[in-house]
Amino acid sequence: MKLQSNVRFAARAITAHGPGYVAIGGTRLTRTCLLGPDGIDAAWGPDAFEGLDAGHFAALAALPCDVTLLGTGARQRFPAPALLRPLIEAGRGVEVMDTPAACRTYNVLVAEGRTVVAALIVE
C-alpha cells in the first residue's frame, strides 16, 4: 500500500509552539493569529487576552467551521459569557484552553478531517 502525506494538512499544521511564538507549516509567528481552513490571519486579535472584545468574537462567528478553539495564552482563562454569545448563537462548538493545548487539539481535529478555526493568543 502506498502512503502519501496530506499536503493540504501539512501546509497548515502547527509544527511548533513555545513562549512568544507559534509555527504554522514551519512559518514562525510571534503575535496572536487566527488559523482556519482558508489559511492564516496574522492580523486577527489582540496581543493579550485582556484585549479580546465583542468584535473579535463576531468575526469568529462569521467563519464557517465545526469547532472554534480559543487559545488564551500561557494559561487557560475564560472570556465573559457575553463575549461568547455570537459563537453560541451561530451554533458553533467553542473550546477554551491555553494556547499550547489549542495547538495540539487543532492538529488532531484537522487530521481527522474536521473544519476547525483556532484563535491563538501568543504571549
Side-chain angles (χ1 to χ4, degrees), residues 9-72:
F9 170 69
R12 58 189 182 114
I14 298 173
T15 53
H17 58 81
Y21 78 96
V22 171
I24 301 167
T27 300
R28 192 175 174 126
L29 302 172
T30 57
R31 74 165 314 276
T32 296
C33 62
L34 181 66
L35 178 58
D38 295 329
I40 303 165
D41 180 354
W44 179 90
D47 290 331
F49 174 81
E50 295 76 21
L52 286 170
D53 63 30
H56 297 118
F57 289 92
L60 291 174
L63 299 171
C65 66
D66 299 326
V67 178
T68 299
L69 303 175
L70 176 61
T72 60

Side-chain angles (χ1 to χ4, degrees), residues 1-7:
M1 172 175 24
K2 184 175 182 180
L3 298 177
Q4 296 181 10
S5 67
N6 184 337
V7 174

Side-chain angles (χ1 to χ4, degrees), residues 64-102:
C65 66
D66 299 326
V67 178
T68 299
L69 303 175
L70 176 61
T72 60
R75 63 185 177 89
Q76 183 181 32
R77 294 170 276 189
F78 292 93
L83 292 176
L84 296 173
R85 180 166 299 286
L87 292 167
I88 294 166
E89 289 176 352
R92 189 74 40 81
V94 182
E95 297 293 334
V96 178
M97 56 194 77
D98 62 54
T99 296

